[in-house]
Amino acid sequence: MQKVTNTSYTMKLLKRLLLLLIVIVGVVVYLNYPKLNIISGYAAKNVASGVFVAHRSAASMNQYDNSAPLIKIASTEVNESEESASSTVYGLMKRTAVYRDGLGAVLINDDYDPKALTIRPQRHQPVDTIPYPYGQAAPMDTVLPEVDMDQINKALAIAFAEPETQKTRTLLILYKGHLITEKYIDGFDKDTPILGWSMTKSVLATCYGILEHQGKLEMDWPAPIPEWKDDERKNITLNHLLRMQSGLAWDEDYTGISDVTRMLFLDSDMTQAQRDKKAIAKPTEIWNYSSGTTNLLSGILKQQFRGHQEYLDFPYAALIDKIGMYSMILEADIAGNYVGSSYAWASTRDWARFGQLHLDKGNWNEEQLFDASWIDYITTPTANSNGTYGAHFWLNAEGKYPDVPRDMFSCNGFEGQHVFMIPSKDLVVVRTGLAEEPYFDVNGLLSNIVKAVP
């Protein structure tokens, strides 16, 4: 009789524990279910772009690029014939991204109509015999005696010393417009497109510098947003937007559901998210980094042209193809707007071309693409940024990197994508990878490189 009672008690206890476990799992799923949409969306978009833009394998994208916490729980499959990738999290929240030639990959939703957007940017890739970086021919085999190559090799060794933590993928150094060195891990080479993430912001901003040089707009113009004309937002200028000091509300948090993750992984028209935000301060009173602001600027850029084709063509005709960045792809959202905040892909060599253009103050093969004063503008520190931000470019004005010249400015992207420009040293340094500070030491890398040149 005692044995039966103990067995009955044990069964009741197990049932209660099982019920408690079911309740706990249910609560966890309920609280995190909306996040699954973001997780599977990130995974699908990343793999689709990696496979169909960068021509990498789905296995490599899943193993490395989607290995971040939470993202790695997604399962992603590629459909080669449909040029798409689909992801789920434990079989839930299926999201699909499709590739469109010339416009990159995009997460689709109920708004997606594959027949709605048929135009594509027109590209121009003339053949030339000019050595890299100013042309498409092989780099000149030039020996610059003033460069300490032992020191350069030391810097390279440091950058790739700890592959499991630093996760450096590529590194390239230009000095005085000459390729000094470049290094790539297995699976990457000089032609492999790399996602720049927020380095894309600097590309979008440069389009504004070009339009200003062409006399088509000025930075102190009010932002042309009809919804703002009757409230306090009417005082926001293009300058305020480029400096991230508009005073508009925005939550740039990638750890959960926020303004930026909703925009990148849920919105059909990414130019609207920041447009709809209320002012929380007057322009210049606060500095608030916002990917929504850059995509709003992408929408404003589109307003400068008579038609969608002209908008799609402009960044390539006036900048990207003009300097030979033929590997670069600007990805667009469902509505056909360039996702200027995050989605430019280009080879390491082509990212370096972009840096060299800025080191040369907009002059490319004797053609002035933007005014030399544009560099002064983008490198002037923005109020309340602690000297770290100019106009869509990052700065070292107050010595964030203490052993690097203060005139260094850069394009920075998620997971440690960088184009560093150091005018006083005539250097462009490109580093790409899957880890950023503190795992990757920016100050250590650059300080070792600058020691190698006069």
Side-chain angles (χ1 to χ4, degrees):
M1 179 66 72
Q2 184 68 34
K3 183 177 180 181
V4 172
T5 301
N6 287 341
T7 300
S8 177
Y9 174 77
T10 301
M11 291 301 295
K12 288 181 179 179
L13 181 60
L14 287 173
K15 288 179 180 179
R16 288 174 182 173
L17 289 173
L18 180 60
L19 179 61
L20 178 61
L21 180 61
I22 291 172
V23 170
I24 292 173
V25 171
V27 170
V28 170
V29 171
Y30 175 78
L31 293 176
N32 290 279
Y33 189 73
K35 291 183 181 179
L36 303 187
N37 209 351
I38 305 297
I39 293 170
S40 57
Y42 180 107
K45 166 67 179 64
N46 211 27
V47 170
S49 294
V51 170
F52 299 110
V53 174
H55 310 296
R56 292 177 53 205
S57 71
S60 175
M61 291 298 300
N62 280 314
Q63 182 177 356
Y64 300 109
D65 297 66
N66 280 0
S67 65
L70 292 182
I71 305 302
K72 64 184 178 182
I73 68 175
S75 298
T76 306
E77 296 182 353
V78 171
N79 187 318
E80 294 282 353
S81 62
E82 294 183 1
E83 296 187 308
S84 68
S86 297
S87 300
T88 61
V89 181
Y90 303 126
L92 302 172
M93 279 293 188
K94 183 177 180 179
R95 299 294 304 280
T96 298
V98 300
Y99 173 73
R100 306 151 301 165
D101 184 44
L103 296 174
V106 67
L107 279 168
I108 63 174
N109 55 29
D110 292 340
D111 295 333
Y112 179 68
D113 179 359
K115 299 178 182 179
L117 187 62
T118 58
I119 58 174
R120 301 290 186 265
Q122 299 175 3
R123 303 295 299 268
H124 302 280
Q125 300 187 21
V127 177
D128 63 57
T129 58
I130 303 172
Y132 175 82
Y134 297 104
Q136 299 303 310
M140 293 179 63
D141 188 12
T142 303
V143 176
L144 299 177
E146 69 269 32
V147 178
D148 183 345
M149 289 306 299
D150 288 338
Q151 182 65 36
I152 290 290
N153 290 330
K154 176 183 176 181
L156 277 174
I158 291 172
F160 290 89
E162 300 175 19
E164 296 303 316
T165 54
Q166 294 172 315
K167 298 183 179 181
T168 298
R169 286 177 155 175
T170 75
L171 185 70
L172 183 150
I173 302 172
L174 297 179
Y175 174 62
K176 293 186 175 180
H178 295 274
L179 178 62
I180 298 301
T181 191
E182 59 187 333
K183 185 173 181 178
Y184 304 88
I185 65 168
D186 289 345
F188 293 79
D189 59 32
K190 64 182 179 61
D191 300 314
T192 305
I194 306 287
L195 176 57
W197 286 108
S198 286
M199 295 203 301
T200 313
K201 291 179 171 69
S202 301
V203 177
L204 189 281
T206 302
C207 291
Y208 276 80
I210 293 170
L211 284 176
E212 181 188 52
H213 179 63
Q214 295 175 353
K216 296 178 180 177
L217 54 72
E218 297 178 12
M219 295 305 109
D220 60 358
W221 281 6
I225 310 298
E227 299 94 320
W228 296 359
K229 63 182 179 64
D230 294 324
D231 60 40
E232 65 273 22
R233 297 175 295 179
K234 65 179 180 292
N235 296 316
I236 297 173
T237 65
L238 297 178
N239 173 60
H240 296 141
L241 294 172
L242 284 164
R243 293 190 174 281
M244 303 288 189
Q245 57 174 188
S246 65
L248 295 172
W250 186 262
D251 180 15
E252 187 88 5
D253 178 10
Y254 290 87
T255 62
I257 300 175
S258 67
D259 291 334
V260 68
T261 55
R262 278 191 293 265
M263 176 186 69
L264 289 177
F265 305 112
L266 298 176
D267 286 358
S268 300
D269 182 346
M270 298 189 198
T271 70
Q272 290 292 327
Q274 184 72 92
R275 180 190 299 253
D276 297 336
K277 292 294 183 179
K278 299 299 182 183
I280 58 175
K282 293 180 180 178
T284 74
E285 284 187 345
I286 62 172
W287 178 79
N288 186 29
Y289 185 80
S290 164
S291 289
T293 290
T294 308
N295 288 333
L296 172 60
L297 283 165
S298 181
I300 293 174
L301 181 69
K302 184 166 64 174
Q303 293 175 229
Q304 310 309 307
F305 302 96
R306 290 175 294 181
H308 203 136
Q309 185 70 63
E310 289 186 39
Y311 162 71
L312 292 178
D313 291 345
F314 178 76
Y316 292 103
L319 171 62
I320 297 168
D321 291 347
K322 180 74 73 171
I323 67 170
M325 295 176 67
Y326 300 134
S327 70
M328 178 167 276
I329 294 291
L330 297 178
E331 295 187 293
D333 63 19
I334 287 177
N337 306 297
Y338 286 129
V339 186
S341 66
S342 314
Y343 292 153
W345 293 74
S347 68
T348 302
R349 282 193 176 187
D350 280 352
W351 281 117
R353 290 182 207 268
F354 184 73
Q356 190 64 48
L357 172 69
H358 287 77
L359 204 63
D360 293 340
K361 297 186 176 182
N363 189 282
W364 196 260
N365 291 329
E366 301 184 355
E367 181 179 358
Q368 197 70 35
L369 304 192
F370 53 76
D371 196 83
S373 63
W374 177 254
I375 300 301
D376 297 328
Y377 170 71
I378 62 174
T379 59
T380 298
T382 295
N384 301 311
S385 73
N386 295 320
T388 63
Y389 206 74
H392 270 51
F393 284 78
W394 293 89
L395 312 178
N396 195 40
E398 294 188 13
K400 178 183 178 181
Y401 304 116
D403 302 312
V404 181
R406 296 291 183 94
D407 66 343
M408 187 269 285
F409 62 108
S410 63
C411 319
N412 296 352
F414 177 56
E415 294 187 319
Q417 320 315 316
H418 296 285
V419 178
F420 300 105
M421 292 141 283
I422 310 177
S424 59
K425 292 290 186 175
D426 237 330
L427 282 167
V428 174
V429 180
V430 178
R431 184 268 181 180
T432 74
L434 288 178
E436 50 196 309
E437 295 180 294
Y439 304 103
F440 177 71
D441 182 7
V442 170
N443 184 71
L445 172 68
L446 295 180
S447 64
N448 274 283
I449 292 173
V450 297
K451 291 175 183 176
V453 299

